[in-house]
Amino acid sequence: MKQVFGVFGDPVGHSLSPAMHNAAFSALGMDCIYHAFRVTPEKLEKAILGAEAMGFGGINLTVPLKEKALKLDFVKPDPLAKRIGAVNTLVFGKKGDIQGYNTDGPGAKQALLDTGVEIRGSRMVVAGAGGAARAVAFQLAADGADITVINRTEERAVGLAREISAADLPGKIRGTGLSGLKELLRDADVLINTTTLGMHPNTDATIVTAEELHSGLTVFDIVYNPLETRLLREARTSGAKTISGVLMLVYQGAEAFRLWTGVEPPLELMKKTVLEALQA
């Protein structure tokens, strides 16, 4: 019988995780299959316990379930996930324990490193204050970046920055509203969009235009559908270096794959599978 893995979320029909993981399982000759399951927040507890009871190998969690899962008594988060306040990967232990991890931060870190970004000491602007922003900002602060979190609701950005500062990590962090964004970007090394702005089907949306960017900047949009968001097009026009959300998707998925199986996944195949799905 095939070992079942999956992603829970609502909505979840757009997820590329099944294609990515199934390609990896097939290439490695593993008798496993990965499905997407629509799960609403009020059904999350039953869904996780049901998956564990049926012998699932592991689960990914996406919007809007990452923070809620951490509040379930039977989910035991690792230290990073606990500090972030969200889990996106569940591992079912042989003794009935359910471990929670957050692979979003490591995925974003690897995407930046792959593109030649030196994280320690870099001046980074992180747009957004939701679950993805928390994961990314915690990871980059732990790696010594100088971070400014910006958000339409300034109080949320300030609150997130205060939480991360309290963790006493090597990096510096502050929060602010959108009013000073142009000035912030002038001195920044990296801009990371962790919001859903520009995601399909609202592909004309962007947090900034080319006039506010510069050629010394690296612009990273964690949105991966469309493959090139308007923000990345604007960045390319300005001469800035760009990083697609596909890299973060693949790297966070690869880390989950390792946690579940203990096997190194075929990264290039996973990237190719996601790119082909987006271009289809």
Side-chain angles (χ1 to χ4, degrees):
M1 181 182 294
K2 287 184 180 293
Q3 178 90 72
V4 179
F5 297 81
V7 56
F8 291 175
D10 183 27
V12 77
H14 66 286
S15 177
L16 297 180
S17 292
M20 177 175 70
H21 284 289
N22 285 327
F25 288 138
S26 178
L28 295 172
M30 300 174 72
D31 193 20
C32 303
I33 192 163
Y34 186 111
H35 289 293
F37 300 89
R38 180 174 175 267
V39 175
T40 58
E42 59 271 18
K43 296 289 182 65
L44 179 61
E45 180 174 354
K46 290 180 179 179
I48 293 174
L49 292 176
E52 192 275 333
M54 290 187 290
F56 277 40
I59 290 293
N60 283 136
L61 300 172
T62 187
V63 176
L65 307 176
K66 296 180 185 182
E67 290 84 4
K68 185 173 178 61
L70 199 63
K71 298 175 183 176
L72 300 173
D73 292 340
F74 55 80
V75 173
K76 306 303 180 186
D78 80 331
L80 177 62
K82 190 172 184 178
R83 285 197 298 187
I84 290 170
V87 297
N88 75 336
T89 301
L90 298 177
V91 177
F92 299 126
K94 293 181 180 179
K95 297 180 180 179
D97 54 314
I98 302 176
Q99 301 294 322
Y101 300 88
N102 193 308
T103 65
D104 285 335
K109 173 183 176 178
Q110 192 58 51
L112 288 164
L113 293 175
D114 264 19
T115 318
V117 172
E118 179 67 41
I119 295 174
R120 183 170 296 276
S122 284
R123 293 161 296 185
M124 300 191 178
V125 176
V126 176
R134 291 178 65 86
V136 171
F138 260 104
Q139 180 69 57
L140 298 179
D143 290 321
D146 184 346
I147 303 164
T148 301
V149 178
I150 62 165
N151 195 62
R152 183 174 52 189
T153 306
E154 184 171 356
E155 292 78 11
R156 292 192 67 194
V158 172
L160 176 56
R162 188 180 296 120
E163 283 185 55
I164 296 175
S165 292
D168 197 26
L169 299 172
K172 300 176 183 177
I173 188 162
R174 65 201 63 80
T176 187
L178 298 179
S179 58
L181 179 56
K182 188 172 183 178
E183 290 71 27
L184 280 172
L185 290 176
R186 188 179 299 138
D187 297 323
D189 301 305
V190 179
L191 168 64
I192 305 175
N193 175 43
T194 70
T195 76
T196 57
L197 209 61
M199 182 184 290
H200 180 82
N202 302 310
T203 55
D204 285 338
T206 181
I207 55 172
V208 289
T209 59
E211 291 72 26
E212 298 160 285
L213 304 172
H214 59 84
S215 60
L217 195 64
T218 296
V219 178
F220 178 12
D221 196 341
I222 74 166
V223 172
Y224 60 81
N225 188 11
L227 181 57
E228 186 178 55
T229 60
R230 183 179 171 193
L231 173 60
L232 294 185
R233 292 199 305 272
E234 296 284 348
R236 189 159 44 82
T237 299
S238 75
K241 185 183 295 185
T242 62
I243 305 176
S244 165
V246 165
L247 286 181
M248 179 172 165
L249 171 69
V250 170
Y251 287 132
Q252 65 83 20
E255 183 60 24
F257 192 98
R258 295 184 192 99
L259 288 168
W260 292 327
T261 67
V263 175
E264 185 63 27
L267 282 172
E268 291 306 315
L269 174 63
M270 293 170 78
K271 289 179 192 176
K272 180 183 177 184
T273 301
V274 170
L275 289 171
E276 287 177 349
L278 287 169
Q279 293 166 347

